[in-house]
Amino acid sequence: MTANKFKNLATSTLLSYRRYIQAGLTLCAGLGLSAIASSVAYNWEYKSMQAELQDRLDKIATDIQRDVSGNLEIIRAVGAFYSVFDGVKKPEINTFVGPALYRHPSLKAIAWLPSVSDSPQFLTDEIDLGLDLTANRLALEKAVKRQEIIATDRQKWSSQNQPSVFVFLPIFSQISADDTGGEWSQKLTARNPENLKGFALGILLVDAIVKSALQETQLNFVNVYLQDAMAPEAERFLAFYEAKTKRIVTDENIKNQLQIGERAYCPDGSSCTRILNIENRRWLLQLRLTPEYINPLRFWRSLTVLVLGTILTLAGTLYLMSLWNYTALIEKIAAERTAKSQRLEQTLQELQQTQSQLIQQEKMSSLGLLVAGVAHEVNNPISFIYGNIHHASAYTSDLLELVKLYQKQYLHPPSEISEYLENIDFDFLSKDLPQLLSSMKIGADRIVQIVKSLRNFSRLDESEMKPVNIHEGIDSTLLILQSRLKATGDRPPIEIVKNYGNLPLVECYAGQLNQVFMNILANAIDALESYNFDRGPKAAKANPIAIAITTEYSIPDKIIVRISDNGPGMAENVKKRLFDPFFTTKPVGKGTGLGLSISYKIVVEKHKGALRCDSTPGLGTEFSIEIPLRQEVKQAVPFVSRKISEAA
């Protein structure tokens, strides 16, 4: 009695510890999930911020590019104006481009620089530009050489002390076709450096460009940094927008005293950087994050998720502990029923496997007896015929030669012999008899091949695993199924397409693999027959039913056999149960549902290979059989092989 009480006490204590352990695990799991959810929320917020940064960056880059492109188009228009008209005065050009300058504040001035020593004509807001073009001589020469717009690096006006970029457009004289010998000659000479009239100069204000691009963009705690990527390292700075003071800094000395900010990261992996193509220059646009932007309080959603998750986890754990006794009772009942269910399921599986093996053994035994009997009965007489037909051909040839010699020696035989030769049509007989014997030999050869294929399919002389030619097994299986492949009154013949690779000998149970080929090919024929019956004659003619067999050697140590058809295919729910015992989609009495289950066991369990099915409704089905070239462990000879061997 004391022992039972001690045992019950120990059991109760163990259950109590178990409850506390599970409650602790539940608490840990809840906190862990809360942390994961918080992390997911944090990542979502972070990615949203990154996406927002990328959108802002793209908008700023687009606005800058659009503003600069618009300014360049105005300069091109002025260049076209100067190239056509000579002697243009300042009032005239002011009337031409004045409205455009008003709409583009970043284009501060446009100037005409003639190639002679005349004084330049400027179009500005009545401001003396005070240009020093000596430092930009290389840019002018490059513009003439390339015959296109050339932009300079960062410049400063001596009068305005504003950071700017000079843009030079070379203008060439227009030469008439009459003076140069035609339109083609005009194209060749019009842009000759000797015909240079001058340059159209545009002055772009960097701060105005940046200011125009940032007008409609909200940049809270995000700085903008603009550089000239093609300038020397010390001269790359163009402009800096400080979000805190909302000012644009173009003085590099002032910029060096400010905090540029941390590098930002956009979803496209560009570090929130864009390259702007300003004709021959490349500007680098970057976003920089201030400390206020990186403040953890910006991620309040993830903190909220963590707090709520923790509260819910604690509430769930307390509720779980209050219902523990009821749960323990349910677990006990469920465990008992589960054990009974498992025992019943195991018993049922054993019965199904036993039944499958019995059916397989009887089926293969009957097939072995049939094949062995047919092969044995046909082999003896055909061997007699095949062995003697060669001698019969030789004897017939000798007799015909003897008759020819008699005819040669006795040109005028007796009338009785002449009449008999004429009655039997000896000339035709002497020609047709060798051909007749040759046809008989071809037929005997065909019968010998059929007997050989039957013996190869049954493998009567091979009861152990040994290297075999896979192609011979496939061909033997096709020979046995030949009657089902031929045309019938309901359908055309099923075409067999062979794509055999160069395979080495494979160590396997040849008879069992032939059974796998037989099951898969028979199922394919059944599917194609049903498919051809369901569709109309027009569809059947457009897409004839066929089966393709492909073999290949897969490095380093296996071969693959693919058997595919162009039938209706199968649905996903059918594919999932394809290799289950007793599962079939055929009508009652036409299939047992054991063929593919047995094939799966032969390939996977007996040969350590793989059997897969790939099918899409309306696109056909493909079975893939993978077999290792060598088996590591020799298995015992199965009962089926012994039955077939006994049938020999």
Side-chain angles (χ1 to χ4, degrees), residues 155-376:
Q155 304 286 329
K156 279 191 177 182
W157 291 2
S158 58
S159 60
Q160 300 294 320
N161 196 25
Q162 288 181 307
S164 58
V165 173
F166 294 168
V167 178
F168 298 103
L169 173 63
I171 308 300
F172 297 89
S173 300
Q174 298 292 329
I175 301 177
S176 63
D178 296 336
D179 297 338
T180 59
E183 180 181 357
W184 178 250
S185 178
Q186 177 186 4
K187 293 180 180 179
L188 292 176
T189 59
R191 289 184 173 257
N192 193 305
E194 297 178 357
N195 299 323
L196 179 68
K197 294 178 62 176
F199 298 89
L201 166 65
I203 301 177
L204 308 181
L205 297 181
V206 177
D207 56 347
I209 294 174
V210 176
K211 182 178 180 181
S212 176
L214 298 179
Q215 283 181 351
E216 300 179 359
T217 304
Q218 296 293 333
L219 291 175
N220 297 326
F221 312 115
V222 178
N223 298 333
V224 179
Y225 193 29
L226 185 63
Q227 303 178 79
D228 186 350
M230 300 184 63
E233 184 69 26
E235 301 175 4
R236 288 187 176 182
F237 174 72
L238 290 176
F240 176 73
Y241 172 76
E242 187 181 26
K244 184 177 181 180
T245 59
K246 300 186 182 301
R247 61 171 177 168
I248 299 175
V249 178
T250 56
D251 190 338
E252 189 169 9
N253 294 326
I254 299 177
K255 186 268 299 182
N256 293 334
Q257 300 174 3
L258 302 176
Q259 292 184 356
I260 297 178
E262 298 291 336
R263 183 183 298 271
Y265 294 94
C266 290
D268 58 1
S270 63
S271 299
C272 286
T273 301
R274 291 291 181 271
I275 297 178
L276 308 178
N277 296 319
I278 311 299
E279 292 300 329
N280 61 306
R281 312 294 298 183
R282 300 294 180 268
W283 287 5
L284 196 63
L285 180 66
Q286 291 181 320
L287 296 185
R288 297 286 184 154
L289 305 180
T290 62
E292 292 80 5
Y293 189 89
I294 312 175
N295 192 334
L297 294 178
R298 291 177 60 87
F299 301 94
W300 60 271
R301 296 180 182 86
S302 58
L303 295 176
T304 303
V305 170
L306 181 60
V307 172
L308 291 178
T310 303
I311 294 174
L312 292 176
T313 300
L314 293 175
T317 304
L318 293 176
Y319 179 76
L320 179 65
M321 293 181 67
S322 66
L323 298 178
W324 205 266
N325 292 330
Y326 178 76
T327 304
L329 179 61
I330 295 298
E331 287 180 352
K332 182 179 179 181
I333 297 174
E336 293 176 355
R337 293 183 178 179
T338 301
K340 292 180 181 179
S341 176
Q342 289 178 349
R343 288 195 296 269
L344 291 174
E345 183 179 358
Q346 183 178 0
T347 303
L348 179 60
Q349 289 180 353
E350 292 175 356
L351 289 175
Q352 290 178 341
Q353 291 178 359
T354 303
Q355 185 178 7
S356 301
Q357 292 175 358
L358 289 175
I359 294 175
Q360 178 190 4
Q361 291 167 4
E362 292 301 324
K363 183 178 179 180
M364 292 305 297
S365 176
S366 301
L367 182 60
L369 290 172
L370 175 63
V371 172
V374 172
H376 179 73

Side-chain angles (χ1 to χ4, degrees), residues 484-486 490-497 524-525 527-533 535 539-547 565-568:
R484 297 198 60 192
L485 297 173
K486 295 180 180 179
D490 299 331
R491 62 164 176 80
I494 299 176
E495 181 183 2
I496 299 296
V497 181
I525 294 173
L528 290 176
E529 287 179 343
S530 175
Y531 178 58
N532 189 78
F533 180 78
R535 62 179 181 169
K541 185 177 180 180
N543 184 23
I545 52 179
I547 297 176
D565 62 63
N566 59 348

Side-chain angles (χ1 to χ4, degrees), residues 4-59:
N4 292 334
K5 290 183 178 180
F6 180 77
K7 183 178 180 180
N8 293 334
L9 180 60
T11 303
S12 177
T13 304
L14 181 61
L15 290 175
S16 299
Y17 281 123
R18 179 187 173 188
R19 295 171 186 174
Y20 284 118
I21 290 174
Q22 292 186 356
L25 292 176
T26 303
L27 181 62
C28 293
L31 294 177
L33 291 175
S34 300
I36 293 174
S38 176
S39 177
V40 171
Y42 175 82
N43 290 333
W44 176 81
E45 288 182 305
Y46 183 72
K47 289 181 180 179
S48 299
M49 294 168 61
Q50 285 185 319
E52 183 182 1
L53 286 176
Q54 182 170 317
D55 292 341
R56 293 177 181 177
L57 177 64
D58 291 338
K59 186 178 185 308

Side-chain angles (χ1 to χ4, degrees), residues 520 524 528 546-550 562-567 620-623:
I520 295 177
L528 290 176
I547 297 176
I549 304 175
T550 304
R562 292 187 173 89
I563 302 176
S564 60
D565 62 63
N566 59 348
T621 303
E622 179 182 274
F623 282 88

Side-chain angles (χ1 to χ4, degrees), residues 98-154:
L101 285 176
Y102 177 77
R103 291 192 303 269
H104 293 76
S106 58
L107 181 59
K108 187 61 179 177
I110 296 179
W112 165 245
L113 305 178
S115 60
V116 295
S117 59
D118 298 339
S119 59
Q121 299 177 17
F122 298 108
L123 175 61
T124 67
D125 295 336
E126 301 300 332
I127 299 175
D128 182 14
L129 299 178
L131 295 175
D132 181 11
L133 300 178
T134 305
N136 295 296
R137 182 175 298 277
L138 292 177
L140 295 172
E141 294 176 353
K142 185 182 295 185
V144 174
K145 183 178 180 181
R146 296 185 178 180
Q147 300 181 1
E148 61 183 17
I149 289 182
I150 294 297
T152 67
D153 53 2
R154 174 189 170 105

